[in-house]
Each structure stands twice: as C-alpha cells, then as structure tokens.
Amino acid sequence: MINYSEAFEIIKKEIQKFPLQTEEVDILESYNRILAEDVIADVDLPPFDNSAVDGYAIKYSERTEWKIIGEISAGNYSAFNLTENDAVLVTTGSKLPTNADTVIPIEDVDVNGNVLLLKQNSILKKGMNIRSQGNDLRKNEIAVHRFTKIDAKTIAVLASCGKEKVIVFSKLKVAILATGDELIQINEKPGGDKLRVSNIYSLYAALKEMNHTVINLGFTKDDKEIITQKVKAALEMDIDLLITTGGVSVGKYDFLKEVFKGQGVKEKFWKVNIKPGKPIYFGIYEKEKRKVLVFGLPGNPVSSLVNFYVFIKPAIEFLFKQDEMKNITATLQNDLKKKDGKRHFARGILFEENGEWKVTSEFSQSSGNLVEMSRANCLIEIEEERFNPKKGERVKCILI
Ligand code: AMP
Ligand code: MG
C-alpha cells in the first residue's frame, strides 16, 4: 500500500497537467476568485502628490510664522504658487500646491486671522506628511499578481487600477455522488437500518467553501447497474472532478472501482496507508481532450471529509497556487493512541493560550462520529513512523 506522501504526489502530478480555463468577470463578482492575469497599474498610485493629514502646506524653511493665502480641500484643487512666506490650508488627500514640500498638522499650529503660527515644541521636518505621487506603486508596474486570491485588500487595488472587468480562473466543476443502500433523504426519518445521507452535504459545502461549482448527483443504491449509469452520465458531463462516496472498499457490494474501470477510468491508486480514509481511490478519465479527475472516497462521513481535507483540497490549492503553508505546530494536551504504521489524521481542537498553540483531541476518533468531527477545528497529523504521541509533544495541525 502506498503512503500518504506518495499518493499525494501522484495526485499533484496529474492535477498539474490540468488545463486551467479563464473567464472575465465584473470586479464585484471577482471576490474570492483567483486572478488569471497580472494587473498592471495604469496610473501612478497615488496619482498625485497629496497631503497625509489635515493641516497647512508650506514650502519648508526655518521660519515658524506664515501667511495663509488660501485653501485646497481634497478633490477641489486650485492653483497656488507658494513662497516661503505662504501657507495653504489642506485636508487629507488634497493635491499639494506648487512648491509645497511639507504639511504641518492642524494640531501643531495656532491661527490668528490669516497668520499661521507654529506651536512651541512642535516638530517641523522638511517633507513631512506628504504622500508623493507613485509612492505606493509606479505606473506600468504589476499591482496584483496572477494567482492572487481576490479579497477585500486586493479588490481595492484592482479598483484603483480601473479594472472594471477582471480575468479570473474558471471555477472547477465538480460532480458528487453518494452510494449506499442504507441511505435515505434527509427529510425522511431513519427507521430500521437506514440513515440520512450526509456526505453529499459535507462535500458540497467543502467545495463551496473553496468557491467551486458543485453538481450534486444525489445518492444511489448499491446497485452496479444504477451506479454504472450514474457514473457514465457524470463522465459525459462537462466536469473537472467526479467525487463519489461509499462502495470503494472490499465489501461484497463495493462496486465503484469496477464501475470506474468499466467506464475507462484509469486507476492511479487505490488504498493509502492512512487512518481514517484508507480505501480512497484515485483515477483519471480522458476523452477527446477532456480530462476528469476521479476520486472514490469511502462512505464513512469522517473518512470522506478527512480525505477531502488531506487530498482533494490541498491538490486544488496546489493547482491554483494557493498552497502556502497553513499548518500550525501545537503542543498536545493529552496522550494519543497510535499503534500502527499508518499516517493518522486525528480530530483536534486547536487553541491559543499564553501565546502558545495547544491542541486537545480528547474525543472519540471513530470514523463514524460525525458530530465530534464537526466540533473539531483541525486534523492532527501523525506521521507513519511516530507512535503514541504523548501529552506535551509537538504535533502538526491542519486547519479545517
Ligand atoms: P462504505 O464506504 O460504503 O462501506 O460505507 C461506510 C460507512 O459509511 C457505512 O457505515 C455507511 O452507512 C456510511 N455511509 C456511507 N455513505 C454515507 C453517506 N453518504 N452519508 C452518511 N453515511 C454514509
Ligand atoms: Mg456502502
């Protein structure tokens, strides 16, 4: 059985060949999308020398008294040609009058009619309180780099560069399908041996969290014929990823692997030396330049979601170059049981105390316990060669 790192490398190798599409969207629709172009400043930023404070613009000299000759408020420029004698009232953001090289904050002066006096003990330094043209960025320089995730900070820069339309990478289209005879709709009450389908909801949300498009194919019985029809139809759709849950282990009614094979999906791996989520399947479907990454996840609600967090999410982040490290090393607050040579992803609660990251995992690690998973905020990653980590040891935590 392959290890986690080998499996992840295989996915990375495949996903990096993936042809990324782009599209143009309105700037307001670009939030949370990934920029597919280098955005160039079409003007200097800021576009003109301006005042950083409310105050008086002067031409610097040794003097401490000036004559106020007028005012310029932000957006209402009028021309003045300053001598060392003169001061012009300015507001924050005002374009500076000709010859002004310094702005004295309003708090540092006394005004008597049209006479301006520097208060005692106020410091006057040449060049102070000026935001000079192009100081933030020069025209024709790159303002926002390709592959930047657009957030409130970057959208402000795009707006300042006049980008009403932005080229972003198209969202991935991901079809999800759950399988299992025991599954019922969530508006039904489980009776007998049935349970409400939860995986399609968790995967739907996990993909939405990443801002991709989800095609929800619902769930189907463990019937090879029906699953074949569903998978066939899914692979014919214009999708990038197909994620199934359930039926990928070694049980009598675990048909997914066979079905994928029958539909021409090339298996890249099946089963990884991890816990939970060992039975994960990964394959590639290619047809007429179209390429679909196929993930068959186990049905256990915790396993499927852990698989998503440790394989699918980081692979998509890698594809869109969003894979800067988001992991945190923390001090374990309780002993953890780990007796085998698998890589474990234990559910944990990460918190900060006295400036130190700490993590507890004092709850059941059963891969069926969804509620406990929902209360966790991280996965504690324990490598293959590490056994029974003790309270006080440092562990790597993946935020979820
Ligand atoms: P399987 O991988 O098909 O062997 O399923 C493993 C376990 O996960 C079984 O206990 C199933 O009842 C449960 N399970 C499978 N699919 C789902 C689902 N979509 N939602 C909730 N539980 C599921
Ligand atoms: Mg099943």
Side-chain angles (χ1 to χ4, degrees):
M1 203 181 333
I2 59 172
N3 278 339
Y4 172 75
S5 310
E6 297 166 276
F8 190 58
E9 281 309 312
I10 293 172
I11 300 174
K12 263 167 82 171
K13 199 174 137 224
E14 291 303 328
I15 208 167
Q16 73 190 3
K17 295 185 241 161
F18 215 73
L20 283 175
Q21 311 288 328
T22 63
E23 64 195 49
E24 195 178 64
V25 296
D26 189 86
I27 183 171
L28 284 176
E29 302 304 319
S30 73
Y31 169 68
N32 234 348
R33 302 293 297 270
I34 295 165
L35 196 60
E37 58 175 336
D38 283 334
V39 171
I40 310 290
D42 68 335
V43 289
D44 285 332
L45 294 176
F48 50 87
D49 291 345
N50 67 87
S51 175
V53 295
D54 293 315
Y56 287 88
I58 58 161
K59 179 171 194 250
Y60 181 83
S61 68
E62 299 282 291
R63 60 195 310 141
T64 57
E65 185 181 325
W66 302 266
K67 184 174 160 220
I68 302 169
I69 59 166
E71 69 168 56
I72 304 172
S73 60
N76 298 299
Y77 183 74
S78 45
F80 294 98
N81 210 337
L82 295 194
T83 68
E84 286 179 359
N85 264 326
D86 307 324
V88 167
L89 174 76
V90 290
T91 65
T92 306
S94 295
K95 179 176 157 93
L96 294 175
T98 311
N99 294 333
D101 57 13
T102 303
V103 178
I104 316 168
I106 208 148
E107 297 85 351
D108 292 352
V109 290
D110 288 315
V111 178
N112 197 344
N114 65 353
V115 177
L116 184 72
L117 287 164
L118 187 68
K119 280 184 183 166
Q120 274 196 349
N121 302 325
S122 298
I123 297 159
L124 187 57
K125 263 172 59 190
K126 186 175 182 181
M128 71 186 201
N129 300 317
I130 292 203
R131 300 188 288 216
S132 53
Q133 177 172 343
N135 169 266
D136 199 7
L137 198 74
R138 288 268 169 220
K139 181 178 169 176
N140 295 330
E141 285 181 345
I142 297 177
V144 191
H145 287 88
R146 192 167 176 244
F147 284 108
T148 301
K149 188 167 199 174
I150 300 169
D151 59 11
K153 306 184 294 291
T154 46
I155 217 166
V157 180
L158 298 177
S160 302
C161 292
K163 292 288 289 182
E164 279 182 282
K165 302 277 180 195
V166 185
I167 299 173
V168 296
F169 289 109
S170 300
K171 296 180 183 190
L172 294 179
K173 294 187 228 49
V174 188
I176 53 176
L177 171 71
T179 66
D181 277 352
E182 69 277 42
L183 304 178
I184 54 169
Q185 298 283 8
I186 60 167
N187 60 6
E188 293 178 68
K189 264 258 160 56
D193 60 352
K194 307 291 181 211
L195 58 95
R196 289 181 173 132
V197 56
S198 66
N199 288 347
I200 45 180
Y201 293 91
S202 53
L203 290 175
Y204 189 95
L207 287 156
K208 282 287 174 187
E209 223 166 68
M210 298 188 76
N211 206 12
H212 292 293
T213 303
V214 189
I215 299 115
N216 182 6
L217 302 176
F219 64 91
T220 173
K221 292 211 166 304
D222 288 316
D223 175 312
K224 200 174 160 192
E225 263 319 296
I226 304 176
I227 297 175
T228 303
Q229 290 317 313
K230 290 265 185 185
V231 167
K232 187 171 191 280
L235 291 173
E236 275 166 13
M237 289 166 35
D238 172 28
I239 56 168
D240 303 301
L241 264 72
L242 169 63
I243 306 175
T244 63
T245 68
V248 77
S249 196
V250 291
K252 183 174 173 198
Y253 299 99
D254 290 342
F255 297 128
L256 264 298
K257 257 176 63 92
E258 249 178 276
V259 168
F260 290 146
K261 193 172 177 194
Q263 294 307 307
V265 180
K266 284 204 197 76
E267 180 181 317
K268 292 291 168 183
F269 64 73
W270 176 51
K271 286 189 178 169
V272 182
N273 190 28
I274 56 168
K275 189 180 175 185
K278 183 178 87 172
I280 182 174
Y281 165 100
F282 173 60
I284 302 288
Y285 177 76
E286 273 171 301
K287 195 179 174 191
E288 294 149 13
K289 286 191 190 155
R290 260 183 0 96
K291 184 170 179 149
V292 182
L293 304 186
V294 179
F295 291 92
L297 311 184
N300 267 317
V302 173
S303 309
S304 57
L305 204 46
V306 167
N307 275 167
F308 182 87
Y309 285 131
V310 304
F311 288 112
I312 302 176
K313 183 176 179 187
I316 295 174
E317 286 173 338
F318 170 75
L319 173 66
F320 290 104
K321 301 199 195 309
Q322 303 295 304
D323 55 338
E324 75 280 5
M325 288 296 287
K326 289 185 209 94
N327 301 328
I328 289 177
T329 303
T331 309
L332 204 51
Q333 301 299 295
N334 54 278
D335 296 350
L336 259 181
K337 262 206 201 89
K338 194 231 179 215
K339 288 180 273 190
D340 57 35
K342 291 181 184 152
R343 182 169 298 220
H344 284 214
F345 297 97
R347 273 68 72 208
I349 297 175
L350 184 71
F351 61 100
E352 204 192 336
E353 198 175 66
N354 305 324
E356 189 194 347
W357 284 111
K358 299 180 175 180
V359 64
T360 57
S361 62
E362 277 180 307
F363 43 82
S364 151
Q365 297 295 334
S366 159
S367 53
N369 287 7
L370 195 50
V371 177
E372 312 227 59
M373 167 104 188
S374 75
R375 291 174 183 159
N377 63 4
C378 73
L379 296 175
I380 305 169
E381 183 169 355
I382 308 155
E383 299 79 1
E384 291 79 2
E385 63 282 0
R386 197 166 172 187
F387 299 95
N388 297 322
K390 293 265 175 293
K391 178 177 174 174
E393 287 188 26
R394 304 277 284 161
V395 287
K396 182 173 138 190
C397 301
I398 303 164
L399 299 179
I400 60 169

